[in-house]
Amino acid sequence: MMQLLEKTRRFLWLFVELGFLTILSVILIYLMLGENSGVFVTSVAGNVTKFAGEMPPPSLIGIGVILAIIYLVMQRLR
């Protein structure tokens, strides 16, 4: 049972990494091509900037602290 949970966790984490890499790639394409990069790329970039613009700074700081704690715990467990 634990092996199944571990495989599922790895698969889901791989899926999250793939999605994050896709978003970063689309943002990079937008930064290189600008407004001429296409409808999909422009809409993704617009959504990301809108999300980042509407997040209050304390929330961004909190997310950063949580990510740093997760990173440090993962480094300790290895």
Side-chain angles (χ1 to χ4, degrees):
M1 182 66 177
M2 291 303 288
Q3 290 177 345
L4 178 65
L5 289 175
E6 183 64 26
K7 284 183 180 181
T8 304
R9 184 189 66 83
R10 285 184 185 176
F11 176 75
L12 290 175
W13 189 248
L14 181 65
F15 184 72
V16 167
E17 287 177 347
L18 183 63
F20 186 66
L21 187 61
T22 303
I23 291 173
L24 288 178
S25 299
V26 169
I27 296 289
L28 181 63
I29 291 170
Y30 178 75
L31 289 175
M32 290 189 311
L33 299 177
E35 294 295 324
N36 297 327
S37 56
V39 176
F40 177 74
V41 174
T42 307
S43 67
V44 170
N47 286 336
V48 169
T49 55
K50 184 178 178 183
F51 176 75
E54 292 183 5
M55 286 281 280
S59 296
L60 291 176
I61 293 171
I63 291 172
V65 168
I66 290 171
L67 291 175
I69 290 171
I70 291 171
Y71 176 76
L72 290 173
V73 168
M74 294 301 289
Q75 292 300 317
R76 286 250 183 192
L77 292 177
R78 288 185 184 183

